[in-house]
Amino acid sequence: MSLKKNTIANYLGQGCVALMNIAFVPLYIKYLGIEAYGLIGVFAMLQAWLSILDVGMTPTLNREMARYTAGALNDESIRNLLRSFEVICFIMAFFATVLIWSSAEWISVYWLNTVALPPQVVAMAITIIGFVISLRFIEGLYKGAILGLQKQVLLNVAISGLAILRGGGAVLVLIWISPSIQAFFVWQALVSILSIFIFVIISYRYLPHLMQPAKFSFYQLKKIWRFSGGMLGTTLAVLLLVQADKVILSHILSLEIFGYYILAGTVVTTLYLVNGPISQSCFPAFTKMVSKDHISELIEIYHQSSQLTSVLIFPAGLMLIFFGEQLLSLWTGDIELAHNVFPLLRILTIGTMLNCLMSIPYQLTLAYGWSSFGMRQNIVAVILFVPAILFVAPRYGAIGTAWIWVVLNAGYVLISIYFIHTQILPKEKFRWYVDDVMRPAAGAVSVAVILWAVQPDINSPLVKLIWLVGVALSMILSAGLSAPMIRNYCLLKFSH
């Protein structure tokens, strides 16, 4: 399967997931209320923290499956590695469920600041959340295996169908069965059980069938412990960086205001869904090229992927920065809600755009097996920025905390890129900054500023939507024409 087809498949799959995640949020708020919606934010936060139990298994399995497809591993080794990770994953999921269940009452009474929701309702929701999170944890392992096997078209078909079932089904449950947060999470649990069943079938379908059954192997774990350990350190550091704000704010803000912060964060995650399919497709391809020492081909795809990221990320981010309040109002149908969320959305978008620019260089470090870089980078960031969050959050609330996110990611782009290119592809650093980032950024920003300044006063929602779509397409066109490799590729296609 080609990189192009995998990228397209990832866009279609993750686009469907994004649509399901975004489309139904106004209905969730309508039937559950903004305070209960805040519990969905707590669910996302706990799920992120549980990923530390992954101990680097999922990205490691992704990489080893990609190496297997390149011929670097034999059939028995890869089957035993998967079985070893399965055993560890299921044990950790069990203990995670028990831990969250035992902590549910304390979280509901002593941590979260609820007004309308009774503590017993919140405690029951937290208990169900623990079970759902554990199931999602197991899902992630098999997704990593399928990605590494480069069966991304099939994976995205499954992900799309499950996303529709997960989101659309939840709305039907809230309307027809019970408009309660408990019913919402019970449905999520049922869909996750089905998801695991489907992903297991896909994973084993494309692995060899051996006479001897796969077994738990300390030898296979020992071979990958350095890479996996680096990924664990990176995961822990990233969690401290991107979840510290939510942990602190969930305690100092009311659950209603925290719901606004989570809503802004939910909208911002659409940038990752714009960027994610590219980096997701690149990692197995990069790994294969590194394994075969095809460096010239690696350099070409590296810059193509980086420029494509910029061409899509800058227009998407600038739409939220300049026109975010209008988009929120059209989406939710609630002008007051849009007004409350937009200041947070604008700041978080700046930081997330910068974060997305790091995705392709970071995938390159993993393809070279340099997982310790991410760990060291983020440990330094934790030392500097977690104390800043602890200082800023109680004094300046959500707005001040959002600016910490911007400063953090500006440091990544300005400093980390230098160190990455010092060790890997050292001659490509200047080209990355100028051709891959600055030129498409300039093209998108110039159009955004002009169209924001001359935007008409439109009352019709449909006409306003058409105008905003036109603005987005204009920025994409300008960014694409400003990116050398993307421009040349398009001109070559059109000339034929």
Side-chain angles (χ1 to χ4, degrees), residues 46-67:
L46 291 174
Q47 183 177 350
W49 279 104
L50 187 63
S51 65
I52 191 176
L53 297 180
D54 185 87
V55 294
M57 288 189 295
T58 298
T60 302
L61 187 59
N62 187 342
R63 179 174 184 264
E64 294 305 300
M65 287 289 182
R67 295 181 67 236

Side-chain angles (χ1 to χ4, degrees), residues 7-20:
T7 302
I8 293 172
N10 287 334
Y11 266 112
L12 293 175
Q14 294 196 24
C16 181
V17 172
L19 180 62
M20 294 302 102

Side-chain angles (χ1 to χ4, degrees), residues 308-437:
L308 181 59
T309 296
S310 295
V311 165
L312 297 176
I313 281 297
F314 282 114
L318 292 169
M319 284 299 297
L320 297 179
I321 292 170
F322 285 91
F323 306 97
E325 188 166 5
Q326 299 174 48
L327 291 168
L328 285 168
S329 181
L330 287 171
W331 173 47
T332 64
D334 189 329
I335 297 174
E336 183 180 356
L337 179 65
H339 181 72
N340 289 331
V341 172
F342 179 56
L344 288 167
L345 175 65
R346 174 178 281 177
I347 301 169
L348 290 172
T349 297
I350 298 171
T352 304
M353 277 199 309
L354 295 171
N355 186 267
C356 288
L357 295 177
M358 288 293 299
S359 63
I360 301 301
Y362 177 64
Q363 297 301 326
L364 188 66
T365 66
L366 297 183
Y368 273 91
W370 191 22
S371 61
S372 61
F373 171 79
M375 179 180 66
R376 292 170 183 172
Q377 164 193 262
N378 290 311
I379 286 174
V380 173
V382 165
I383 293 171
L384 294 175
F385 288 99
V386 170
I389 293 173
L390 292 171
F391 175 81
V392 168
R395 292 167 177 79
Y396 303 101
I399 292 291
T401 305
W403 277 113
I404 296 294
W405 177 240
V406 175
V407 175
L408 168 67
N409 287 287
Y412 283 160
V413 172
L414 294 174
I415 300 172
S416 297
I417 287 295
Y418 170 82
F419 288 105
I420 289 175
H421 288 102
T422 298
Q423 296 295 322
I424 302 173
L425 309 182
K427 297 181 180 179
E428 307 305 317
K429 177 179 61 179
F430 181 78
R431 186 179 173 190
W432 185 88
Y433 275 116
V434 176
D435 289 354
D436 300 356
V437 175

Side-chain angles (χ1 to χ4, degrees), residues 419-491:
F419 288 105
I420 289 175
H421 288 102
T422 298
Q423 296 295 322
I424 302 173
L425 309 182
K427 297 181 180 179
E428 307 305 317
K429 177 179 61 179
F430 181 78
R431 186 179 173 190
W432 185 88
Y433 275 116
V434 176
D435 289 354
D436 300 356
V437 175
M438 295 175 66
R439 288 182 175 177
V445 169
S446 60
V447 172
V449 171
I450 293 171
L451 295 181
W452 176 78
V454 302
Q455 62 180 314
D457 186 14
I458 303 172
N459 294 322
S460 169
L462 178 59
V463 176
K464 184 179 289 187
L465 178 61
I466 294 172
W467 159 258
L468 292 172
V469 170
V471 171
L473 293 176
S474 298
M475 283 195 285
I476 292 173
L477 178 61
S478 180
L481 292 175
S482 303
M485 297 186 77
I486 303 301
R487 181 181 64 246
N488 293 338
Y489 176 82
C490 293
L491 291 174

Side-chain angles (χ1 to χ4, degrees), residues 99-109 119 122-127:
L99 176 63
I100 295 176
W101 167 73
S102 62
S103 306
E105 185 175 351
W106 181 87
I107 293 172
S108 65
V109 174
V122 177
M124 176 60 70
I126 296 295
T127 300

Side-chain angles (χ1 to χ4, degrees), residues 68 78 135 196 201 236 243 253 294 329 371 386-387 391 430 495:
Y68 167 72
I78 199 66
L135 294 173
I196 292 172
I201 291 175
L236 176 58
Q243 294 297 323
L253 300 177
H294 293 171
S329 181
S371 61
V386 170
F391 175 81
F430 181 78
S495 65

